[in-house]
Structures are given as structure tokens and as C-alpha cells.
Amino acid sequence: MKVTLSSLDTCESSFTPLVVLELAQDVKEETKEWLKNRIVSKKEDGGAQLLFRPLLNKYEKETLENQNLYLVGASKITLLLGAEAIGLVKECNDNTMRAFTYGTRHNFKDFDDDNNDFLTMAECQFIIKHELENLRAREEKMIPGYPQAKLYPGKSLLRRLLTSGIVIQVFPLHDNEALKKLEDSWYTRFTLKYQPLDRIRGYFGETIALYFGFLEYFTVALIPMAVIGLPYYLFVWEDYDKYVIFASFNLIWSTVILEVWKRGCARMTYRWGTLVMKRQFEEPRPGFHGVLGINPVTGREEPLYPSYKRQLRIYLVSLPFVCLCLYFSLYVMMIYFDMEAWALSLHESSGSEWTSILLYVPSIIYAIVIEIMNRLYRYAAEFLTSWENHRLESAYQNHLILKVLVFNFLNCFASLFYIAFVLRDMKLLRQSLATLLITSQILNQIMESLLPYWLQKKHHVQVKRKVQALKADIDATLYEQVVLEKEMGTYLGTFDDYLELFLQFGYVSLFSCVYPLAAAFAVLNNFTEVNSDALKMCRVLKRPFSEPSANIGVWQLAFETMSVISVVTNCALIGMSPQVNALFPESKLDLILIVVAVEHALLALKFILAFAIPDKPRHIQMKLAKLEFESLEALKRQQMKLMAQNLKEDSREGNEEEA
């Protein structure tokens, strides 16, 4: 018996395994049969109408390990109807972007009844995920075979199966041939070139492609800052007053790059179809729970949870916990300053080369402690945000990002603000900023890519040996792939990647007039970050399900907020310089008023630039307006047709009454 892709093509026309579903080892047979029936049943019967079968047949399970692994696929018509159901947008023959409908499928570019590449593999896997997540309980009160796993009408079956431990995981399979082509054009050849964002989007989806697009754009945008900062570092290091021009350039730079990114992002997402994609009414997130009731908006039966209970949890538990963590972070910061004072006194008393090196040790230790605290706090923030029981996934993400950003900002930048505006020690500020930036970048590279890659290679060797020990008459290519991928780490989304860039942006923009080399180090880090993140996505972690995105979401607001804070810090640092202070020897109040006035003028300039640069290019605005106009016209025609039918029926009824 051969376990190959071709052997899976039976009576269904070309069953291609797209998604793997792993069950627990001791799952009861009646549960498996019930789950299979719900997945393969027709939509009108409450099923997902997907293709579903075990990875191994009975003989192969006896020969190999008894793996409860199942493959999920879909017929072509199911995928096309699913594309219509989720509102997928594709390019038409007239070069416009429109929501795909099965009835008008021949109007779309590259569509052919014999062409199986009209939908990308990432889109197919997203459709299957959508269908599985929308499998809802009907009459069942519990999962068959598991009385403790309660169900109610409308409950997500997949969520209940996951929380009950019946389903271990669900993940999309890699396409090895397409992955190899993507790697060859992406990161295996170390050349200075733009990333193949369209290919990344086709393989991983829009959310991940947008992250890599933003990473590339941000790296290129940092190059002017790095080029200008280098001569400042080499020639006017101690003369901070000459950094006024550099700081002013930084303020304009931070505004312009974020506005220009919006325009580039709009071009990309219009071409990909997600800018036009209509946002559906948000379903309750899988983790949301409450008393079963009727949603007053949709009329559907779903869990209901009083908002006042959520607010009590936020303000009486989450907020005090966050404040306690912030206090603990400040306490650790003061310990760091005590260590700095001890290292400085030791160096002043001995003055040896060893003690001069020792001056950097407190900053390195503090940088490592910051990374550890950030990671521990992240777990606590996720638990708290989940416990708050938000109904929508967007609300959950917004509350989580707010918690994490507040703590990370204080944890990473509080010491720098303290040194700059309380101690007023510019030399220590420069040293601390350099140490924090470089240490955090090295730790992130090790923890995010190098360590997981080494562990994955080690596991890969073990699986290879196990497969080679199998009987010769078993071609276990697909088996080996699935077993390898199921043991890979799970990609938890772009949250941590954007957070790393956000902190890097803070290091570069907040104190640029003190340490101009920050941008240069950020550029060097990001060049390696592109390749290490690409390696992580392709070879270290499971392939994630694609997610449609029209922009980088709330992170755009986070970066814009950081750029506003950078205006305040840079103006304050310039106002503290000795030469500026010398201009106002008698009245410091005049100096403060002038610094505040300059700061307000720069903020006004910043907001004028943001307003003057449109978020979407003119031609994109015209295309969106045209689509909206056509939609309104189509709706009018539909209403007129309906009115004509009603008048015709009323006239017929009147004639019948007269007769």
C-alpha cells in the first residue's frame, strides 16, 4: 500500500489534501464517525460538504504508528461556492476587482472549468477553515461518546472539540513544490532585492504578506536616517546642539514614511482584492461564552454575556494587575540604576580596562531582564484578555494589544526617559540606548529563529530515521510530511513581529539626537530579520491559515502615536542642550515657552502633512467610487424590478376580484 498524494484521488475528482486534523489517540469510534458525517454531509443537512479521510488505512496503521491523523479537502465546486460565501474578491476580465460569484465565474480573469489554479492554495485552505469553524451544533446536546462535552444549538463544534481535547490541532499542509519555488525567490540567495510579495501573499495570505511588505518598506525608509546619522556620529558626537537639524529631519521623516506606507498598502491590497472585500457581520469569537440567548441584531441563537460584567473584570481585575506590573517594572528599573552607580564607582576607584568593560554589564543584564519580563507579561495579558470574555475577535485583539503596548513601552523606554529628563546624563543615555537596542535585537534573532530552527532540524533527523526503518513496500512521503509538520511549532500571528518593529521604531525616533547610529543598527538587524523570519515561516513553523487583511490594522495607529511622542522627546532634548540654554541665561520660562511653541508647530506640521497626503492614491479612490456607484445602481435596478413584480401581482389580484 502506497501512502502518496496520487493514491488519494479516488471517486472524487482530484482530492488534494489541504488541511490536517489530528485527533487524540483514545477518541471513541462513534465520535470519529459522527465527526466524519458532519464534515462530509451536505450544507442543507448541517454539514460542511468537505472531503475527509484518514491519512493511513487499517493495514498501514498496523505497520506504522497508530496516528489519528485525517486529511481534509474539498471539491472544486465546494471551493468556488465557499469563495462566494466569504466574499472573496478576484480580478475580472475588464481589469476591475469584484466579489466572486459562482453564477458569473466566467467573467473573472484566468477562470476556466478545467483550470484548478484559479484559487490559490492559501485561499482554498482559508475556505476549508471557514467551513470547519462554521460547523454548528443543531439538535445535539453533547458530543457523541463524551457526555461531559456539552453542546447547544449554534455552538461551534470545532471549538468544543478543541477545548475538550478530542481534536488536538488543525493546520494547513505545505505544498513542497510551491514552497521550494518561493524559497528560491525569497531568502535562499543572499542578494539585495525586493521580496516577492505577490508570491508570499499567494502562499501565506495577505496578513503575512503585509507584514513582510511593511518590514521591507520600514527597512528601506530607515536607510536615509542611517546615512545621515553616520557623519553625525563620526564628527559631532559630543556636540548635541548640532543635532537640531537631525532631530527635525527625524520628525518629518517619521510622519512621511507612515503616510506613504498607507498609499503603498492601498495599492497592494487593491491588487489583492482585500481592499474591496466587504466586511461581514462579525461572528462571536470561538472562546466567547455565556448564557444561550437570541442576538437582537441577527436574531440568531448564541451565547450572551452582560457588558457590565466584562467592564467589572476589566476595571477591578485587569487594570489593577497592569498597574501592579508597571510598578514592578519601575522597581526593576531602579535596581538597574543602583547597579549602574555601583559599576561606575568601581571603575572610578580602579580605572582598569576590566572595569571599563564592566560599565556595560548592568545595561546588558537589564536588557535581558526586560525581554524576559516582556514575554512573561505577554502570557499574563493573553490570559486576562481571554478571561474578560470579549464577544468579537477584533475587541479581544484591541484589548490585548493595548495591554501589551503600554507595558512594553514603559518597560523598554522608562529607563531612557529617566536618564534623559531626570538624571540628564546624555553619555549614559547614549550607552543605555545602544545596549538595549543591540541586545534586544540579538536575543530576538536567537529566540525567534535560530533556536526553533535548530530544534526543528534535530526533530527532522529523528523522523527521517524512523521513516527509513519502515518496510520497503510503503512509500511514506506524505506520511513523513504530515508527521514532520504536526510537530512543528504553531505560528501565533504577526503580533510579536509588529511589536518588535514598534519597539525598534521607538529606539530610532525617540532619542535620535543622542544616538544617530540607532537607525544604522536597525537597518542591519532588519536585513537579517527578513531572511530569518522567512526561514521561520517556511521551515520552522507550521504553515498558518491565510487571513484576508486590507492594512496593518491597529499597528498603524500605534506607530503614529509613537511618532507624536517622538516630537515631544526630541524637542525637550534640544531645549536641554547647553547652547540653547545659553541663549536664555536669565529666564528659563522663556526657554520653556519657546520649546513648547516649537513642539506645537512641529505637531501642527505633522498633522498637516498627514492630512495633505491622501491615504489612497487618486486612481484607487476613483475605482472604489466606481464600484460603489455600480453597486448602488444594481440595488436600484433590483428594487425597481421587485416593485414592478409587486404592482403586476396587485393588478392581477384586482382583476380577479372584479371578475
Side-chain angles (χ1 to χ4, degrees):
M1 301 293 290
K2 303 289 184 182
V3 188
T4 60
L5 291 175
S6 59
S7 69
L8 296 167
D9 299 335
T10 55
C11 56
E12 293 91 351
S13 59
S14 71
F15 171 80
T16 302
L18 295 170
V19 173
V20 176
L21 191 147
E22 182 183 6
L23 302 182
Q25 289 293 338
D26 57 349
V27 173
K28 298 175 182 178
E29 287 300 323
E30 63 175 309
T31 309
K32 294 180 183 178
E33 193 62 29
W34 167 79
L35 178 60
K36 176 185 176 182
N37 289 335
R38 290 303 304 268
I39 290 176
V40 302
S41 295
K42 294 181 179 180
K43 289 286 188 70
E44 53 265 29
D45 298 328
Q49 208 164 334
L50 300 173
L51 305 177
F52 180 80
R53 65 188 64 200
L55 171 63
L56 304 175
N57 63 30
K58 185 177 180 181
Y59 164 74
E60 292 160 342
K61 283 185 179 179
E62 293 169 357
T63 307
L64 308 179
E65 294 182 8
N66 183 23
Q67 300 284 354
N68 274 342
L69 294 166
Y70 293 82
L71 302 174
V72 185
S75 63
K76 184 176 179 180
I77 188 170
T78 299
L79 291 172
L80 292 174
L81 291 172
E84 179 178 348
I86 64 174
L88 201 66
V89 174
K90 305 291 282 186
E91 188 176 4
C92 293
N93 292 322
D94 60 358
N95 297 324
T96 59
M97 304 298 295
R98 300 179 189 277
F100 176 79
T101 58
Y102 185 76
T104 60
R105 59 192 182 279
H106 293 288
N107 295 336
F108 290 85
K109 187 174 287 187
D110 299 327
F111 181 85
D112 190 273
D113 289 326
D114 299 324
N115 179 19
N116 293 321
D117 297 326
F118 176 70
L119 298 176
T120 66
M121 191 174 182
E123 289 170 341
C124 294
Q125 289 168 333
F126 176 69
I127 291 167
I128 289 178
K129 172 175 175 272
H130 178 266
E131 297 296 344
L132 290 174
E133 287 181 339
N134 279 278
L135 273 176
R136 304 281 177 177
R138 304 183 87 186
E139 310 301 330
E140 305 98 327
K141 301 297 182 185
M142 63 177 187
I143 292 176
Y146 294 87
Q148 72 279 9
K150 303 295 183 184
L151 292 174
Y152 52 80
K155 173 65 178 176
S156 170
L157 295 181
L158 184 61
R159 175 67 184 179
R160 175 60 75 213
L161 290 165
L162 286 167
T163 54
S164 302
I166 299 169
V167 172
I168 304 300
Q169 59 180 333
V170 182
F171 63 92
L173 268 176
H174 275 294
D175 181 342
N176 288 327
E177 184 179 346
L179 182 62
K180 185 67 171 65
K181 291 179 181 178
L182 176 62
E183 288 177 315
D184 289 340
S185 63
W186 193 3
Y187 72 91
T188 53
R189 297 170 188 170
F190 291 94
T191 56
L192 294 177
K193 60 181 181 180
Y194 289 110
Q195 298 177 92
L197 294 179
D198 288 335
R199 285 190 176 184
I200 297 170
R201 174 255 173 179
Y203 193 84
F204 288 111
E206 291 81 14
T207 298
I208 291 172
L210 278 175
Y211 162 69
F212 280 101
F214 183 74
L215 173 60
E216 176 182 89
Y217 172 81
F218 183 54
T219 304
V220 173
L222 280 168
I223 292 176
M225 288 286 291
V227 171
I228 295 173
L230 190 61
Y232 274 96
Y233 172 78
L234 294 175
F235 303 117
V236 289
W237 179 248
E238 296 296 340
D239 193 351
Y240 298 107
D241 304 310
K242 294 182 180 178
Y243 292 143
V244 173
I245 298 174
F246 184 75
S248 302
F249 173 76
N250 177 26
L251 300 176
I252 299 172
W253 167 85
S254 63
T255 301
V256 171
I257 66 163
L258 293 174
E259 294 302 317
V260 172
W261 161 253
K262 287 182 188 177
R263 294 171 62 84
C265 181
R267 288 193 194 95
M268 277 194 299
T269 52
Y270 178 81
R271 189 173 71 248
W272 294 342
T274 51
L275 188 66
V276 185
M277 202 168 177
K278 297 295 182 184
R279 192 173 182 185
Q280 297 175 321
F281 182 80
E282 279 195 85
E283 297 281 345
R285 54 185 292 270
F288 178 66
H289 58 84
V291 179
L292 194 64
I294 302 297
N295 187 309
V297 178
T298 63
R300 298 173 186 169
E301 196 172 31
E302 66 177 48
L304 300 178
Y305 188 77
S307 60
Y308 78 89
K309 288 186 178 180
R310 185 180 303 112
Q311 298 300 322
L312 287 175
R313 290 186 174 191
I314 292 172
Y315 291 111
L316 297 183
V317 179
S318 296
L319 185 59
F321 176 79
V322 172
C323 293
L324 183 65
C325 290
L326 295 177
Y327 172 78
F328 180 73
S329 174
L330 294 174
Y331 182 76
V332 171
M333 181 189 75
M334 299 313 296
I335 294 175
Y336 156 66
F337 285 123
D338 290 339
M339 292 172 61
E340 283 282 1
W342 170 79
L344 183 61
S345 63
L346 188 65
H347 176 65
E348 289 176 348
S349 61
S350 63
S352 65
E353 292 183 3
W354 289 107
T355 55
S356 63
I357 297 173
L358 187 66
L359 288 174
Y360 291 91
V361 172
S363 296
I364 294 173
I365 294 173
Y366 184 52
I368 295 171
V369 170
I370 283 176
E371 289 299 317
I372 294 171
M373 290 172 62
N374 284 344
R375 293 180 185 276
L376 291 176
Y377 177 81
R378 168 72 186 275
Y379 294 124
E382 286 178 346
F383 173 80
L384 274 178
T385 311
S386 180
W387 178 72
E388 289 166 6
N389 197 25
H390 296 278
R391 179 183 178 274
L392 302 179
E393 184 65 28
S394 57
Y396 170 84
Q397 290 295 334
N398 289 340
H399 280 80
L400 176 61
I401 289 172
L402 180 62
K403 288 186 184 73
V404 174
L405 283 187
V406 168
F407 180 81
N408 277 259
F409 182 84
L410 187 76
N411 201 28
C412 295
F413 300 117
S415 61
L416 301 178
F417 278 99
Y418 186 82
I419 294 169
F421 302 115
V422 178
L423 301 181
R424 298 194 176 189
D425 188 340
M426 297 302 150
K427 187 174 181 180
L428 179 59
L429 177 62
R430 182 178 70 232
Q431 174 191 314
S432 298
L433 177 58
T435 308
L436 287 173
L437 176 63
I438 296 169
T439 306
S440 65
Q441 289 177 346
I442 293 172
L443 288 175
N444 280 323
Q445 293 282 359
I446 294 172
M447 296 300 295
E448 288 184 7
S449 300
L450 297 180
L451 181 60
Y453 179 71
W454 178 78
L455 293 173
Q456 180 59 28
K457 289 286 284 185
K458 189 176 179 181
H459 174 69
H460 193 118
V461 171
Q462 292 173 351
V463 173
K464 281 278 189 186
R465 289 173 182 169
K466 190 180 296 183
V467 171
Q468 288 170 1
L470 299 174
K471 291 184 178 181
D473 64 337
I474 295 176
D475 178 6
T477 306
L478 181 60
Y479 172 78
E480 178 188 348
Q481 179 188 353
V482 172
V483 172
L484 273 174
E485 291 185 21
K486 84 180 185 69
E487 296 296 334
M488 288 178 171
T490 302
Y491 183 63
L492 300 175
T494 55
F495 185 97
D496 289 326
D497 297 316
Y498 278 118
L499 180 62
E500 185 180 344
L501 288 180
F502 172 77
L503 296 176
Q504 186 185 93
F505 182 67
Y507 285 127
V508 171
S509 62
L510 290 177
F511 303 100
S512 58
C513 59
V514 175
Y515 190 60
L517 271 188
F521 279 116
V523 169
L524 292 175
N525 173 78
N526 289 357
F527 273 124
T528 59
E529 183 81 14
V530 169
N531 292 291
S532 62
D533 280 353
L535 174 67
K536 175 179 70 176
M537 295 300 306
C538 294
R539 292 296 172 186
V540 178
L541 301 175
K542 290 186 189 76
R543 182 180 187 174
F545 283 104
S546 71
E547 289 290 340
S549 294
N551 48 55
I552 63 173
V554 72
W555 291 104
Q556 181 78 34
L557 178 62
F559 278 89
E560 289 172 353
T561 304
M562 180 69 83
S563 68
V564 170
I565 298 173
S566 72
V567 172
V568 180
T569 57
N570 280 281
C571 287
L573 287 170
I574 292 168
M576 288 166 53
S577 62
Q579 287 187 344
V580 173
N581 274 266
L583 298 174
F584 303 91
E586 297 180 358
S587 175
K588 297 299 179 186
L589 179 61
D590 293 341
L591 172 60
I592 294 171
L593 291 175
I594 289 175
V595 169
V596 171
V598 170
E599 172 210 314
H600 280 60
L602 288 171
L603 284 174
L605 174 63
K606 182 179 181 62
F607 290 120
I608 290 170
L609 283 172
F611 178 77
I613 303 174
D615 292 350
K616 298 180 183 69
R618 178 69 177 169
H619 69 282
I620 299 292
Q621 292 179 18
M622 295 296 292
K623 288 177 179 178
L624 292 175
K626 184 179 178 181
L627 282 175
E628 188 175 355
F629 173 76
E630 290 176 356
S631 298
L632 290 172
E633 289 296 306
L635 183 61
K636 286 180 183 177
R637 286 195 296 269
Q638 188 177 2
Q639 289 176 340
M640 292 293 290
K641 186 177 179 181
L642 185 62
M643 288 174 63
Q645 288 177 349
N646 291 336
L647 288 172
K648 190 174 181 181
E649 289 176 3
D650 291 343
S651 176
R652 187 187 306 141
E653 289 175 0
N655 292 334
E656 289 175 355
E657 288 176 0
E658 289 177 3

